[in-house]
Coordinates of all heavy atoms in Angstrom, one line a residue:
K40 N -7.0 -8.0 8.7 CA -7.5 -6.7 9.0 C -8.9 -6.5 8.4 O -9.1 -7.1 7.3 CB -6.6 -5.6 8.5 CG -5.2 -5.6 9.2 CD -4.4 -4.4 8.8 CE -3.0 -4.4 9.3 NZ -2.0 -4.5 8.3
H206 N 0.7 -1.1 -4.0 CA 0.0 0.0 -3.5 C -1.0 0.7 -4.5 O -1.3 1.9 -4.4 CB 0.9 1.1 -3.0 CG 1.8 0.8 -1.8 ND1 3.1 1.2 -1.7 CD2 1.5 0.1 -0.7 CE1 3.6 0.7 -0.6 NE2 2.7 0.1 0.0
H234 N 3.5 7.4 -1.8 CA 2.9 6.6 -0.7 C 4.1 6.2 0.2 O 4.9 5.4 -0.1 CB 2.2 5.4 -1.3 CG 1.6 4.5 -0.2 ND1 0.3 4.3 0.0 CD2 2.2 3.7 0.8 CE1 0.0 3.5 1.0 NE2 1.2 3.1 1.5
L235 N 4.1 6.9 1.4 CA 5.2 6.6 2.3 C 4.7 6.0 3.6 O 4.3 6.8 4.5 CB 6.0 7.9 2.6 CG 6.5 8.7 1.4 CD1 7.1 10.1 1.8 CD2 7.5 7.9 0.6
G236 N 4.7 4.7 3.7 CA 4.3 4.1 5.0 C 5.4 3.2 5.4 O 6.6 3.5 5.3
N237 N 5.0 2.0 6.0 CA 6.1 1.0 6.2 C 6.8 0.6 4.9 O 8.0 0.5 4.8 CB 5.6 -0.2 7.0 CG 5.4 0.2 8.5 OD1 6.2 0.8 9.1 ND2 4.2 -0.2 9.0
G238 N 5.9 0.4 3.9 CA 6.4 0.2 2.6 C 6.2 1.5 1.9 O 5.3 2.3 2.2
L300 N 15.8 2.5 6.5 CA 16.1 3.5 7.6 C 16.7 2.7 8.7 O 17.7 3.3 9.4 CB 14.8 4.1 8.1 CG 14.0 5.0 7.1 CD1 12.7 5.5 7.7 CD2 14.9 6.2 6.7
S308 N 13.3 1.9 12.4 CA 12.7 1.9 11.1 C 11.5 3.0 11.0 O 10.9 3.1 10.0 CB 12.1 0.5 10.7 OG 11.1 0.2 11.7
D309 N 11.3 3.6 12.2 CA 10.2 4.5 12.3 C 10.7 6.0 12.1 O 11.5 6.4 12.9 CB 9.5 4.3 13.7 CG 8.2 5.1 13.8 OD1 8.1 6.2 13.4 OD2 7.2 4.4 14.2
V310 N 10.1 6.7 11.2 CA 10.5 8.0 10.9 C 10.4 9.0 12.1 O 11.2 9.8 12.3 CB 9.7 8.6 9.7 CG1 9.8 10.1 9.6 CG2 10.2 8.0 8.4
R311 N 9.4 8.7 13.0 CA 9.3 9.6 14.2 C 10.5 9.5 15.0 O 11.1 10.5 15.5 CB 8.1 9.1 15.0 CG 6.8 9.6 14.4 CD 5.6 8.9 15.1 NE 5.6 7.5 14.6 CZ 4.6 6.7 14.7 NH1 3.4 7.1 15.2 NH2 4.6 5.4 14.3
V314 N 13.6 11.1 13.3 CA 13.5 12.6 13.3 C 13.9 13.1 14.7 O 14.7 14.1 14.9 CB 12.1 13.1 12.9 CG1 11.9 14.6 13.2 CG2 11.9 12.9 11.5
A356 N -0.1 8.2 3.2 CA 0.3 7.1 4.1 C 1.0 7.7 5.3 O 1.3 8.9 5.4 CB 1.1 6.0 3.4
G357 N 1.3 6.8 6.3 CA 1.8 7.2 7.6 C 2.8 8.4 7.6 O 2.6 9.4 8.3
I358 N 3.9 8.3 6.8 CA 4.9 9.3 6.8 C 4.5 10.5 5.9 O 4.6 11.6 6.3 CB 6.2 8.7 6.2 CG1 6.7 7.5 7.0 CG2 7.3 9.8 6.1 CD1 7.8 6.6 6.4
N361 N 1.9 12.6 7.7 CA 2.2 13.1 9.1 C 3.6 13.7 9.3 O 3.9 14.1 10.4 CB 2.1 12.0 10.1 CG 0.6 11.5 10.2 OD1 -0.2 12.3 10.5 ND2 0.4 10.3 9.8
S362 N 4.5 13.7 8.3 CA 5.8 14.2 8.5 C 6.2 15.4 7.7 O 6.7 15.3 6.6 CB 6.8 13.1 8.2 OG 8.1 13.5 8.5
P363 N 6.0 16.6 8.3 CA 6.3 17.9 7.6 C 7.8 17.9 7.2 O 8.1 18.4 6.1 CB 6.0 18.9 8.7 CG 5.0 18.3 9.6 CD 5.3 16.9 9.6
R388 N -1.1 17.6 9.6 CA -0.9 16.2 9.8 C -2.2 15.4 9.6 O -3.2 15.8 10.3 CB -0.4 15.9 11.2 CG 1.0 16.3 11.4 CD 1.4 16.2 12.9 NE 2.6 17.0 13.2 CZ 3.8 16.5 13.2 NH1 4.0 15.2 13.0 NH2 4.8 17.3 13.5
T408 N -4.7 8.4 2.7 CA -5.2 7.3 1.8 C -6.3 6.5 2.5 O -6.5 6.6 3.7 CB -4.0 6.3 1.4 OG1 -4.4 5.5 0.3 CG2 -3.6 5.5 2.6
E410 N -7.5 2.8 1.4 CA -7.5 1.6 0.5 C -8.8 0.8 0.7 O -9.3 0.3 -0.3 CB -6.3 0.8 0.7 CG -5.0 1.5 0.2 CD -3.7 1.0 0.8 OE1 -3.5 1.3 2.0 OE2 -3.0 0.3 0.1
Ligands
LIG24 P1 1.6 0.6 6.5 O1 2.5 0.6 5.4 O2 1.9 -0.5 7.5 O3 0.1 0.8 6.2 P2 1.5 3.3 7.6 O4 1.0 3.9 6.4 O5 0.6 3.3 8.8 O6 2.0 1.9 7.4 O7 2.8 4.0 8.0 C1 3.6 3.7 9.1 C2 4.8 4.6 9.2 O8 4.3 5.9 9.3 C3 5.5 4.4 10.6 O9 6.5 3.5 10.4 C4 6.1 5.8 10.8 O10 7.4 5.8 10.3 C5 5.2 6.7 10.0 N1 4.5 7.7 10.9 C6 3.3 7.5 11.5 N2 3.0 8.6 12.2 C7 4.0 9.5 12.0 C8 4.2 10.8 12.4 N3 3.4 11.5 13.2 N4 5.3 11.4 12.0 C9 6.2 10.8 11.1 N5 6.0 9.5 10.7 C10 4.9 8.9 11.1

Side-chain angles (χ1 to χ4, degrees):
K40 295 193 186 113
H206 293 142
H234 178 114
L235 307 175
N237 281 316
L300 294 176
S308 62
D309 191 314
V310 164
R311 283 166 290 199
V314 169
I358 302 164
N361 295 299
S362 180
R388 289 174 198 264
T408 194
E410 289 159 288

